[in-house]
Amino acid sequence: MKHSPLISNDAVVFGILMGLLALVFYTSKLEHKGFKKFYSVVPALLLCYFIPALLNTFGVISGEQSALYPMASRYLLPASLVLLTIGIDIKSLRRLGGKSVLIFFAGTIGVILGGPIAMAITGVLFPESLYFEGEETWRGLATIAGSWIGGGANQAAMLEVFGSGKSLFGQMIAVDVLIGNIWTGVLLFGITRNKAINKWLRADDSSIVELEQRVEQMKLEQGAMKSGVSPWIQVLGVAFAFTAISHLGGDWLAPWFAENYPASASYSLTSTFFWIVIIATTLGMVASFTPLRKLENSGASDIGTVFLYVLVATIGMNMNLKALVNSPVFFLTGIIWMLVHITVLLIVARWIKAPYFFVAVGSQANIGGAASAPVVAGFFNKFLAPVGVLLAVLGYAVGTYGAYICGLLMQAVFHFLR
């Protein structure tokens, strides 16, 4: 049964979220010794994520009943992608090399292997977990594989292919969202320990450092930041005009592919959100070769980053920590599954000496998809958000195949253990 939250008015909820963001940023900049010590342990970014989660968990607000996340993901995310890509140095991005792709596929393999390994462990320890209300659990777990390699469309494809029941699927959605969101929080926390993690990975992050230096040099060459209403209106006008074009394109392309090439659903080509993200990123990258690139000197990337923080807060308000007590065995399966994914990622990253940036973005491109991969990338460096988008698109392309293989492996584990 769904319970009404204490505060259901989205205008009030949005005000609370913005107030929390303002409070976190204000206190994180204070010179007070206590605040400095607190924020040296708990990153400000993590609070922007978990405080809304706690409010949702204890029924103060409800992410499920709110329209704020759809608003942020459909309006602010594409606008942010435009603003973060419009001033980017494309040549420098190309110099990042192929390690990001290798790490992405390591994460994919970690998900494919993690499913059957986690199911085997919990199946041996808790044999009753092999069934849920008389239904074979592996059918529902396969839908998580679709989500964790690709996204919602790949998850829906696995639902159709393996035929999970609605009740079981509902349990798996909870595991998917909670475990995935907790892992996102861990990745964001890791950003504040980036140097230490890179040292452990023996990583060479010179290409990323070089990009950051080029961005700083570009800003110096452009001169002082323009302020005032007119420059900001221009920035917002371009951002939301391109967002509107992205929505128009998505509204036309998704139904066209669904009608003419229904099999393309496996690649998310029938998803409107997929096209919104792709078109917005493409428009921003094309604009970076035009005079519109000068909008960066009017605060384009800063405004885009603000949009990302709002998105982070709305993502956080969709996490309910109480869900852990409803089906603890399924969540244990999800935790083990995620640990396998992480282990494979770290082994490969240390082997090829890949920096933490590639680990975090490659993992999130698998687990979170286009809605959160650019968020994680953007918090390393706001000009790196497109890397998250590109890897998430790769996840959409391979998600159905990888999830199908994972589903078959879990089916084999089920037949072995029952």
Side-chain angles (χ1 to χ4, degrees), residues 40-46 50 182-199 201 346 355-361 376 379-380:
S40 68
V41 178
V42 182
L45 177 58
L46 202 62
F50 273 107
I182 289 175
W183 176 232
T184 300
V186 173
L187 290 175
L188 294 176
F189 178 80
I191 294 175
T192 63
R193 303 293 186 269
N194 185 34
K195 290 185 179 180
I197 296 174
N198 280 338
K199 184 177 180 181
L201 291 172
L346 293 179
Y356 177 63
F357 170 77
F358 291 144
V359 175
V361 178
V376 172
F379 282 114
F380 278 91

Side-chain angles (χ1 to χ4, degrees), residues 276-295:
I276 290 173
V277 170
I278 294 301
I279 295 172
T281 305
T282 304
L283 289 174
M285 295 181 75
V286 170
S288 71
F289 293 98
T290 73
L292 287 175
R293 182 175 183 175
K294 294 180 181 178
L295 289 176

Side-chain angles (χ1 to χ4, degrees), residues 27 82 267 269 321 328 349 401:
T27 54
V82 170
Y267 303 96
L269 297 182
L321 300 174
Y401 299 108

